[in-house]
Amino acid sequence: MPILRQISQLGQPVLRQTAGEVRDVSDPAIQALIDDMIETCREADGVGIAAPQVYQPLRLFIVASRPNPRYPGAPGMEPLAMINPVILSASEEKEKDWEGCLSIPGIRGLVPRHTSLTVSFTNREGEAEQRTFSGFVARIIQHEHDHIDGSVFLDRAEPRDLITEREYQRILRASHMP
Ligand code: ZN
């Protein structure tokens, strides 16, 4: 049974360090970590979570886009574990959109991100994969990849593009008005 892990909060050093490679994907501790991260992300209404957010300084994150109260417009997908990911290429085009972070509750920001990118990674079965992603999922991957390099979305947003969660929810409700 997966267990919910405690989510590290901004200010804790684990969020600011460069994470190390996962050496053995088949290690039961890594497999349990993946299961726990998927459950922790789902329970917290996240669309992704990186290992440093559960106090593990490892190059591993989960991408799990689905519509939820924090991201009503998110596309649905099966949770995907990306281990030792490398961004091989990214579109020149960037787009600003709203992001939040389970480690930075109460704040939202407009963050410029590449609209598509190609990533190589190891999946949880230990197989090498290379895939191209676009739109919101590409945004999640860039957000989570920042976490394993010790960055957070605040580092990439203009200070004036930061707002409170309450104001964000107000904008969201207004945009859903007919
Ligand atoms: Zn985050």
Side-chain angles (χ1 to χ4, degrees), residues 30 38 51 63 65 69 78 86 88 94 99 112 115 117 139 146 171-172:
I30 295 295
I38 291 171
V63 181
S65 180
E78 277 299 305
V86 176
L88 300 174
K94 287 189 174 187
E99 292 184 23
T115 53
L117 78 179
R139 172 171 297 276
D146 276 354
I171 291 168
L172 213 58

Side-chain angles (χ1 to χ4, degrees), residues 25 29 35 44 59 65 74 76 83-84 89 117 155 174:
V25 176
D35 289 334
R59 303 188 79 77
S65 180
I83 300 151
N84 301 331
S89 62
L117 78 179
D155 307 340

